[in-house]
Amino acid sequence: MKTSPIGIFDSGIGGLTVARQIVKLLPSESIIYLGDTARVPYGPRSKAVITKFAKELTNFLIKCNVKCLVVACNTISATCLDEIRKVSPVPVFGVVEPTIELAIKTTKTNKIGIIGTEGTIKSGTYVRKIHEINPKIEVDSAACPLFVPIAEEGLGAHKATELIAKDYLRDLKKSQIDTLILACTHYPLLSQVIQETMGAKVTLIDSAKPTAEKLKESLEERKLLSDKKAKYEFYVTDAPDRVFKVASRFFGKILNDNLKQVTLPTS
Ligand code: DGL
């Protein structure tokens, strides 16, 4: 069990920003990454469909004998983490809780902003979980759906992105938050334009590092840390050629020939 891989999944390649931090923090851990590139984006989809897809991704990774699952996708974590936990025989880690814990520690004014996909914002999960910990915190949120394709196209520094960011973030800027949660796998790639738009006084928090830290802590507690040399495997459900070209922006290095296309058994 200790040397079994960690299963990480996402609606596409964005979860590689989370995988990148896991690999950095836990260099002896093997990972199997699964991205549903055939059906991305999940952001605009209904809860029923996101849950169905997420269970299919879960089943695939369980069959790979992973020792735990990391739901790197904010949309899936915010929509159906409990449903995934119900069907998984191994521990399941989402991105929402570690991220809000860090945001709550960071805010000094008790005013937090959240940006994410339509699904993440519509679910209300971030707001609800923040209020479970501290009901006095004011939370404002905004969906920023175009940030996903912009990040994949590598257009973070484009003039059009500046205008789109200004438009999406206008109300959040007025609401005087001091901490902004980037509740989407893709947004760390746009942190520069988001920071410039929000101003230097706002601290940006993304999910990758706190999730990797939480995972490390929990594997340590369960005595499940690996002591073998790590191996990385990457699976996608469509277009591995495109993934190969774009993935290094998210993962920080080239995926090499460990990237394969798979077909998921549908439920
Ligand atoms: N991975 C998704 C998330 O973090 C973004 C892409 C999508 O909409 O599927 O919310």
Side-chain angles (χ1 to χ4, degrees):
M1 199 63 176
K2 262 164 80 156
T3 52
S4 304
I6 295 169
I8 306 172
F9 70 88
D10 179 49
S11 56
I13 54 170
L16 289 169
T17 53
V18 179
R20 177 184 190 158
Q21 289 299 331
I22 292 174
V23 163
K24 198 167 151 195
L25 201 66
L26 295 164
S28 304
E29 297 297 330
S30 293
I31 63 161
I32 302 184
Y33 181 90
L34 174 62
D36 194 6
T37 48
R39 302 186 291 198
V40 71
Y42 282 17
R45 296 183 187 275
S46 67
K47 177 173 173 150
V49 167
I50 295 169
T51 308
K52 178 180 180 291
F53 290 175
K55 282 185 182 166
E56 289 166 8
L57 299 170
T58 301
N59 290 339
F60 177 90
L61 286 173
I62 295 299
K63 289 207 179 91
C64 299
N65 292 322
V66 294
K67 64 181 169 189
C68 64
L69 282 173
V70 178
V71 184
C73 181
N74 274 271
T75 305
I76 302 175
S77 289
T79 307
C80 57
L81 197 70
D82 290 344
E83 283 84 346
I84 297 168
R85 286 196 168 130
K86 273 186 207 140
V87 297
S88 171
V90 295
V92 178
F93 299 88
V95 291
V96 178
E97 273 157 16
T99 312
I100 61 164
E101 278 167 23
L102 179 58
I104 291 172
K105 268 189 219 144
T106 306
T107 182
K108 298 206 165 51
T109 58
N110 274 354
K111 286 187 182 152
I112 295 178
I114 302 160
I115 52 173
T117 65
E118 287 164 274
T120 296
I121 301 306
K122 207 171 62 194
S123 74
T125 302
Y126 272 90
V127 183
R128 202 174 52 249
K129 295 227 174 247
I130 289 173
H131 284 156
E132 272 168 26
I133 299 176
N134 183 348
K136 291 203 181 109
I137 292 179
E138 272 177 46
V139 191
D140 285 294
S141 45
C144 305
L146 284 176
F147 280 176
V148 168
I150 287 172
E152 292 201 7
E153 292 298 319
L155 293 175
H158 198 284
K159 195 87 198 138
T161 307
E162 249 175 62
L163 297 175
I164 292 165
K166 271 204 183 100
D167 192 60
Y168 277 159
L169 303 174
R170 185 171 295 123
D171 289 346
L172 278 175
K173 214 178 154 176
K174 279 190 209 139
S175 69
Q176 314 236 307
I177 53 163
D178 72 341
T179 305
L180 178 62
I181 298 178
L182 309 186
C184 176
T185 49
H186 287 62
Y187 298 180
L189 274 74
L190 304 178
S191 54
Q192 198 177 329
V193 65
I194 296 170
Q195 187 77 71
E196 278 164 16
T197 309
M198 292 305 296
K201 288 193 186 132
V202 175
T203 304
L204 306 187
I205 305 274
D206 78 66
S207 302
K209 220 165 148 221
T211 302
E213 280 163 2
K214 185 86 177 190
L215 175 69
K216 183 176 180 209
E217 214 180 277
S218 172
L219 291 179
E220 253 162 15
E221 261 170 38
R222 294 167 202 243
K223 308 223 175 325
L224 276 179
L225 283 177
S226 167
D227 44 16
K228 287 260 162 62
K229 194 176 170 331
K231 202 176 125 200
Y232 304 144
E233 290 168 63
F234 301 92
Y235 296 105
V236 289
T237 52
D238 195 21
D241 294 353
R242 177 180 184 271
V243 170
F244 186 77
K245 281 194 211 126
V246 182
S248 56
R249 266 206 292 278
F250 291 79
F251 193 54
K253 50 184 164 240
I254 292 173
L255 302 189
N256 285 329
D257 49 5
N258 306 340
L259 173 65
K260 294 191 182 72
Q261 183 172 348
V262 287
T263 307
L264 298 178
T266 48
S267 50

